[in-house]
Amino acid sequence: MSDLKPGASLAGTTAMVGVGHSDWIADYAAVRGGTKPHDSFGYAAIAFNRALADAGIDKSEINGLVSGPPTAHERMCEVLGIDPNWGTQADAMMGIQAAMMAIATGMCEVVALVYGNDQRSAAVNYGGSNAAGGNAFLSYIYHAPWGFTSQGALYAIMLRRFMHDTGFTERDLAEVAVAQRLHSSLNPHALMKKRVTVDDYMATHYVCEPLHLLDYCLINDGGVAFIMMSAERARRGKRKPAVIHGIGRHDLSREATSLEPRLTNFYRPAQKKVAEQAFNMAGAGPKDISCLQIYDSFSVHIPLALEGYGYCGYGEAAKFFRDTGISLARGLPVNTSGGHLSESYMQGWNHQVEAVRQIRGECGERQVKDCRFVHYSSDVAGKALSIIYGH
Amino acid sequence: MSERKYIEPQPSAETQPFWDGAKQGKLLVRSCRSCDKAHWYPRNHCPLCGSRDLEWIEASGKGEVYSYSYMRRADPPYVMAYVTLAEGPTMMTNLVECDADKIRIGDKVQVKFIETSGGVHLPMFTPQSAVP
């Protein structure tokens, strides 16, 4: 295994050429007002049309389709009115990885990846006693008989141990919410735009202690879509592509129920392998990254990813926050759109949109100067995954 | 404050002996005769070495707090915890009969079974100093 370089032959072969999403702000207001603008397929279809328009291509060019987890693939093809000759059902990261392989092997040429989720209007339950067969006592992370029924509980317990081991504090964690609200205040698409201070954060209530309200992601309806094709074809197209230079994945599922080592080692064993894969493949390292997009169902993902991917040493996230910084105001900006905490909870899909826009230089007030490489990472549900986007 | 209502566990073929043991006040752990290691949750196939030569061992019931979260907003509030057993595995549980504000990672704890309204005995843990 030591000589194996997973995915190396895919470096720089594939690009994102179009991104689109639904009107998160208008739909959030409509749903809170008691109406339901669209179902999951409808949100996905809106995003799909916008991604096509953004890419400057016609629907007839699409011959691969990745459907996100909430929407059945067959029905999605019907709703969009396309008959692809390659496709699969996958989340954002695994869908991108699959599309790269499909394009590189000639299974298809132009892939649309679409996601729609009516999670708020449909009152989808990510926690609580009804979630995911929790009373089976061995089902994934849920241990309902003991009242352990939510992802928040998992990350609260992980954070408590991380604080114990490293000296990280609640006020340190507050820096994530503060930075991401600064970013969302500069993002016209973000749901939560009001800037907050560390003291504002500390004044919000605990949900699962020590996690405060502002450590949790939003729950909202919406859709996101991207268009991918070979980098060579993308460079001949109308729009500036975001080329995928590196990608990596490593799972930690053998001891999923006892959460070892994902809880006991904070995903570090997987992140170490993914960092080697993705950075080596891209020929870039942490010092070359202009901004980070980190899957932030909970704010605690940010310090764990900064340490896990080598932006600082283990136990040094708080020091990194202080000495370097994680916002557009100072240092290495993390989640420049506001992320799941403040922009929109599109389960990693909206992070790709932001990565592409940063590479293209389309982010206006929140644009990172001289943006060369964007690193996206996702460390959830037992899988560590990363993408390195560039020019 | 309401009385705590537990979500009743659903025993499977693999876990039924665990729940039967709990009813008798025994904390049973699955251990592998081949690699000599205990694992959690109980399975019929050792996740560590792949062997099916497994046995049930009665754990000492002693462990220490790996991490915890106080669910202050629940009614009634309760303390979730991961406890590392003296036998090795780390398991999800609750800390009961303790002062939630005084719990610390590393605290020594002892198993204590709590009966649900459905008659299932759930293994919980309490600080060892609180056990007579």
Side-chain angles (χ1 to χ4, degrees), chain A residues 195-223:
Chain A
R195 294 186 187 181
V196 296
T197 65
V198 171
D199 288 335
D200 293 336
Y201 166 95
M202 293 300 288
T204 62
H205 63 259
Y206 287 119
V207 184
C208 292
E209 195 172 324
L211 290 174
H212 287 82
L213 178 66
L214 295 183
D215 293 314
Y216 280 65
C217 67
L218 305 165
I219 298 286
N220 62 291
D221 281 19

Side-chain angles (χ1 to χ4, degrees), chain B residues 59-119:
Chain B
S60 62
K62 292 187 185 346
E64 65 176 55
V65 175
Y66 181 80
S67 190
Y68 64 97
S69 176
Y70 184 29
M71 306 295 283
R72 203 182 287 273
R73 285 160 61 84
D75 182 22
Y78 58 96
V79 181
M80 293 180 308
Y82 264 87
V83 164
T84 304
L85 303 177
E87 290 74 16
T90 299
M91 65 177 280
M92 160 48 50
T93 186
N94 285 178
L95 302 179
V96 296
E97 296 175 12
C98 60
D99 181 343
D101 290 320
K102 290 191 178 152
I103 296 163
R104 294 291 176 266
I105 286 171
D107 282 355
K108 306 283 186 210
V109 292
Q110 172 72 42
V111 73
K112 180 181 176 72
F113 291 92
I114 304 282
E115 188 175 358
T116 69
S117 57

Side-chain angles (χ1 to χ4, degrees), chain A residues 129 135 137-138 143-148 153 156-157 160-161 164 205-206 208-209 255 257-259 263-264, chain B residues 4 6-10 15 41 66-73 78 80 82 90 92-94 105 123-124:
Chain A
S129 56
N135 57 355
F137 142 73
L138 49 92
H143 303 67
W146 291 273
F148 189 64
I157 284 179
R160 174 81 72 194
R161 183 73 196 197
H164 171 270
H205 63 259
Y206 287 119
C208 292
E209 195 172 324
E255 291 292 315
T257 301
S258 55
L259 295 172
L263 180 144
T264 53
Chain B
R4 175 103 181 255
Y6 295 98
I7 297 165
E8 297 291 332
Q10 302 286 312
T15 60
Y41 62 91
Y66 181 80
S67 190
Y68 64 97
S69 176
Y70 184 29
M71 306 295 283
R72 203 182 287 273
R73 285 160 61 84
Y78 58 96
M80 293 180 308
Y82 264 87
T90 299
M92 160 48 50
T93 186
N94 285 178
I105 286 171
M124 306 298 201

